[in-house]
Amino acid sequence: MAMRLLISNDDGVYARGIQTLANTLAEAGHQVSVVCPDRERSATGHGLTLHQPIRAEKIESLFHPAVQVWACSGTPSDCVKLAIWALLDEPPELVLSGINHGANLGTDVLYSGTVSAAMEGMIEGIPSVALSLTSFSSQNFQPAADFACALVEQLAKHPLPELTLLSVNVPSVARDQIRGAIVTRQGVRRYIDVFEKRVDPRGKTYYWLAGELLEDVDDPDVAADAPTDVEAIRENYITITPLHYNLTSPSGMKMAQEWTLSLTKVW
């Protein structure tokens, strides 16, 4: 079943991940449009460009001939919003973001431009998927693209619930070492934020963020009826984590309800 697909990313228009994904889906017969940053915009989160113009340039030759491509000066979220409201003749039936060069596991999703592009599609009422390959060095995106193709077929038959997106991480191992796909819950990752202090050629000080993973921990607000994405990736499973943007804490709600009444009386 051919679908209208919008593809974006945060690694930029020249990234092999997005080219492999778009070309694979176009070859499968889908109507593919690409609107993505004109350069790398990793870890931009859900930022939008409000105080300067956004430019979009039509790109030729980089992708499969059937793929329409624009390189955008904005963030990943800008790209999806601009595509839906200004560039495309018809809204897409599905938004895909990726394939990211590197994992988006646990709390990484809060910073990820890849996940934010998919989140923007979801906010606009369009089913969305973020795709990541769990390696910064591997250039073999084809297994992840092939899985995305199969996933698109499933979503055409079984649409996602409203206000839900899927964050998919594919282990960077040989195809025959991937143990299958598994539904996971979002883990929690904590980092030591290390800033390296350096001096530029003009003698001015600058800092370079070089965070290191400290630990993976569990979130008590989430029922432990499924493994975390971090755990499952270690076992060479493709992880499929349903996400939404409602950040309300159930345990925080319960606690606040216990003391809000007395606080209101005092106030």
Side-chain angles (χ1 to χ4, degrees), residues 39-226:
R39 60 195 184 281
E40 184 175 349
R41 301 299 292 263
S42 297
T44 53
H46 208 100
L48 294 174
T49 301
L50 300 178
H51 303 294
Q52 60 189 32
I54 300 173
R55 305 185 189 278
E57 178 184 357
K58 201 79 179 283
I59 300 293
E60 308 289 344
S61 303
L62 281 178
F63 291 74
H64 186 285
V67 179
Q68 292 191 95
V69 185
W70 287 267
C72 173
S73 64
T75 67
S77 298
D78 287 331
C79 292
V80 173
K81 193 177 284 291
L82 184 70
I84 293 169
W85 290 102
L87 298 178
L88 302 183
D89 295 331
E90 295 181 272
E93 296 171 284
L94 182 67
V95 172
L96 297 107
S97 181
I99 302 165
N100 189 61
H101 211 170
N104 280 302
L105 299 166
T107 42
D108 296 345
V109 302
L110 298 175
Y111 303 98
S112 169
T114 301
V115 176
S116 292
M119 187 78 72
E120 187 61 41
M122 184 188 70
I123 290 171
E124 296 288 352
I126 299 168
S128 300
V129 179
L131 296 142
S132 304
L133 180 68
T134 60
S135 170
F136 290 107
S137 57
S138 174
Q139 294 293 323
N140 184 15
F141 292 93
Q142 195 59 54
D146 292 341
F147 181 78
C149 210
L151 181 60
V152 167
E153 285 188 27
Q154 285 297 313
L155 293 178
K157 301 173 187 175
H158 308 286
L160 288 172
E162 191 174 2
L163 301 181
T164 300
L165 71 86
L166 300 180
S167 177
V168 177
N169 282 270
V170 178
S172 181
V173 296
R175 189 189 295 260
D176 60 4
Q177 294 179 354
I178 296 176
R179 298 177 63 182
I182 187 170
V183 176
T184 58
R185 56 195 170 96
Q186 180 188 339
V188 178
R189 310 186 90 187
R190 290 177 179 160
Y191 290 84
I192 300 173
D193 288 331
V194 178
F195 286 90
E196 295 181 8
K197 184 177 181 180
R198 302 180 183 179
V199 179
D200 68 20
R202 296 187 178 184
K204 294 185 177 180
T205 300
Y206 67 98
Y207 298 88
W208 198 278
L209 177 61
E212 297 179 5
L213 181 62
L214 174 63
E215 60 181 343
D216 299 320
V217 298
D218 244 346
D219 183 349
D221 274 350
V222 180
D225 54 356

